[in-house]
Amino acid sequence: ETGVTQSPTHLIKTRGQQVTLRCSSQSGHNTVSWYQQALGQGPQFIFQYYREEENGRGNFPPRFSGLQFPNYSSELNVNALELDDSALYLCASSYRDPGYEQYFGPGTRLTVT
Amino acid sequence: DQQVKQNSPSLSVQEGRISILNCDYTNSMFDYFLWYKKYPAEGPTFLISISSIKDKNEDGRFTVFLNKSAKHLSLHIVPSQPGDSAVYFCAASAHQFYFGTGTSLTVIP
């Protein structure tokens, strides 16, 4: 059984640029959630995708957008990067029903300069 | 507004003793609670969960207690082992997940 994978591991971007982060969900999981974890904080929910549709969104601006593909992999896109977007971005996959347990990837460390 | 709070940033415990990690929440609509463990350079790993209809769930050395009237959740690890040293996050769910800020547990051999 393959776990959740994310790419890239690290990247550095300049303020104002755009970035795409990728996530492959665990085999058989149909739901993907994205989280932002700033230094010293817990993960904060960005949004969730279920069967290629957005299924819930946290308190993040529209410049944070996502996609889920038919194979349940997912992308997180962030436009007009700001310095405060520097964080660890975590992807988690799960079965929407019946369980709530989410399985996290190792994260992508984004630094905005 | 932080709906899930872990007020102790760190905790040190001797090997073999009990570790108690605490978590408080404010939203009475939360219906599911989870604990995750996180090692450096890895994503959080699911540890144990509890539904709001229960007050206790046990899995080996790990027990989670839920006190709904106090809006308080705790994780007990008995006996603590050096490999338990990690950051522990509690999370609560009301359609979406809300995480606490984490408690760094150090188990001293």
Side-chain angles (χ1 to χ4, degrees):
Chain A
E1 188 177 73
T2 307
V4 179
T5 60
Q6 292 186 244
S7 63
T9 306
H10 299 88
L11 77 166
I12 300 173
K13 289 286 189 178
T14 303
R15 189 171 50 185
Q17 286 188 315
Q18 179 266 343
V19 70
T20 297
L21 310 182
R22 293 178 175 82
C23 171
S24 291
S25 58
Q26 185 160 315
S27 176
H29 287 183
N30 56 18
T31 302
V32 174
S33 302
W34 285 93
Y35 294 84
Q36 180 195 67
Q37 186 178 10
L39 203 60
Q41 301 296 314
Q44 287 204 38
F45 176 73
I46 302 174
F47 43 56
Q48 181 184 83
Y49 278 81
Y50 170 65
R51 292 186 177 176
E52 304 176 56
E53 297 285 334
E54 189 177 291
N55 182 47
R57 189 178 182 92
N59 189 27
F60 281 81
R63 58 190 186 83
F64 285 79
S65 63
L67 283 173
Q68 187 182 30
F69 301 99
N71 65 354
Y72 303 130
S73 65
S74 177
E75 286 182 355
L76 165 66
N77 299 290
V78 187
N79 294 321
L81 284 166
E82 300 177 0
L83 297 179
D84 284 349
D85 295 333
S86 295
L88 180 69
Y89 288 84
L90 294 162
C91 164
S93 73
S94 61
Y95 295 108
R96 184 166 183 252
D97 293 312
Y100 284 87
E101 288 82 1
Q102 297 188 341
Y103 295 83
F104 282 84
T108 293
R109 173 71 63 186
L110 171 65
T111 302
V112 182
T113 61
Chain B
D1 60 335
Q2 191 74 21
Q3 298 193 44
V4 177
K5 297 178 183 177
Q6 293 176 259
N7 292 318
S8 297
S10 62
L11 174 68
S12 291
V13 171
Q14 286 292 133
E15 181 179 3
R17 306 294 292 269
I18 184 171
S19 295
I20 300 176
L21 296 95
N22 294 304
C23 179
D24 297 297
Y25 62 95
T26 57
N27 189 342
S28 58
M29 298 301 292
F30 287 143
D31 60 357
Y32 204 74
F33 302 87
L34 306 92
W35 284 94
Y36 283 86
K37 179 168 74 172
K38 187 179 187 302
Y39 293 117
E42 295 183 12
T45 303
F46 169 75
L47 198 55
I48 191 169
S49 63
I50 187 167
S51 164
S52 61
I53 63 173
K54 295 185 176 181
D55 55 19
K56 178 182 174 181
N57 188 27
E58 199 170 347
D59 183 2
R61 297 186 296 114
F62 303 92
T63 303
V64 56
F65 295 92
L66 177 62
N67 182 334
K68 288 187 290 293
S69 61
K71 294 189 176 67
H72 180 79
L73 188 69
S74 64
L75 174 68
H76 292 208
I77 307 173
V78 182
S80 301
Q81 299 174 353
D84 296 329
S85 297
V87 177
Y88 289 78
F89 291 98
C90 69
S93 172
H95 184 63
Q96 71 181 59
F97 284 89
Y98 297 83
F99 282 78
T101 52
T103 296
S104 178
L105 172 66
T106 301
V107 179
I108 303 164

